Amino acid sequence: MTVKVALLGCGNVGSQVARILLEQSDELAARVGAPLELTGIAVRDPEAPREGDLPRDLLTTDAHTLIDGADIVIELMGGLEPAGEYIERALRRGASVVTGNKALLAARLPELTEAANDGGAQLLYEAAVAGAIPILRPIRESLAGDDITKVMGIVNGTTNYILDAMDSSGAQFDEALADAQRLGYAEADPTADVEGHDAAAKAALLASLAFHTTFALENVHCEGITSISAEDVAAAEDAGMVIKLLAIAERGTDAGGGEGISVRVHPTLLPREHPLAAVRGAFNAVFVEAENAGELMFYGQGAGGAPTASAVMGDVVSVGRTRATQAAGASVAEPQPRPSRPLGIEDATTSYALSLDVSDETGVLAEIAGIVARHGVSIETMRQTASAEDGAGSARLRIITHVGREAALAATVADIEQLPVVKAVSSVVRVEGK
């Protein structure tokens, strides 16, 4: 038999996928056990200039006909619609779907999974989380017999490049962002990246697979990196740490002892000896903690046409093998029901690094320590230096707390801000990996 493949979208990644399907057809047929035939590529404008030398007769604007004749549909258009309609149409008629559309999956994973089940199809999305890094399949298959307790990752190359540049050169955020845009690591409108939205969509997908419970985008607490200053980065370096934007999903309990999963994205301080601290430039990495396997890390390129196409083709080969052997096509992406639920950010357990501008006078430390103790929070380290901004009579106080519940830590900061001796709380950054 021949496995018919329809491709939706022919941008940077789509053109690379088409190239692989056409140029490596013999090797792919050997791996799948049957030939993969690229039957067409759905595009908005067949006459638009494109990278590569793709046969013009493959290009079409008729996505519906292309989908209806395919065994596998590869969706690389992006956006919510018409991509969502196309994917659901394919799944319900029994065609398996491979996609890298993280935003759509984060918004509609439950109903698309249901459509896959109804059609006896597979829905795979390895490319949606960390580019070329094979992370979803190891979580879904290799760790299926283990109990994952925490997933923590750098899943956005743009923000990692910016923070790494700030760390290595001392640049301010705006300078590092401009450099990232000049080099093509950041879009002209970088909002989705620098505000954490891209990472939040990926965090929802990671959490859904790791903890067998569907998490929607609204279940993810999200903070970006626009407030991180060169002074924050320098203070981190002084403390032997580095700031990264992390996607974190972990087991925890609420104030009443009820179990659940905390899913969040925010700037995070990591000790420089932590494996994730060494991830440089636009690379991605995901750190997994499991009961029996212990600590695992997956590292690689998180974006780019060829690297992302590699992840897409891994899913295509997997689906193709199923088709070629006429195996049952139940959706392998289905989150299995489990008594887990999303926890709010107030129930997360973490520690804080605070930077305070205070009056340089007797009793300041005692007042702050009293508030910290009243909220059941304990201080791990405290360091006072002269404040360069406010001159004589002022001091900069840097505090790192022990691990506590987010609600208690946030209440502590709110009360500290009200002290007359505190001129400003200049930064609050969470700390992980100690």
Side-chain angles (χ1 to χ4, degrees), residues 347-370:
D347 293 317
T349 53
T350 184
S351 62
Y352 275 9
L354 311 176
S355 184
L356 315 175
D357 292 322
V358 301
S359 300
D360 190 6
E361 59 186 68
T362 302
V364 170
L365 298 184
E367 286 191 67
I368 292 173

Side-chain angles (χ1 to χ4, degrees), residues 251-277:
R251 294 194 183 281
T253 58
D254 61 22
E259 295 184 356
I261 308 297
S262 166
V263 190
R264 59 194 194 274
V265 168
H266 50 67
T268 310
L269 279 163
L270 286 170
R272 287 192 178 265
E273 59 269 19
H274 193 281
L276 287 175

Side-chain angles (χ1 to χ4, degrees), residues 91-92 110-122 329-332 334:
L91 293 170
R92 291 199 181 280
E111 60 190 280
L112 293 178
T113 299
E114 181 182 358
N117 292 335
D118 290 346
Q122 291 178 282
S331 172
V332 296
E334 180 186 4

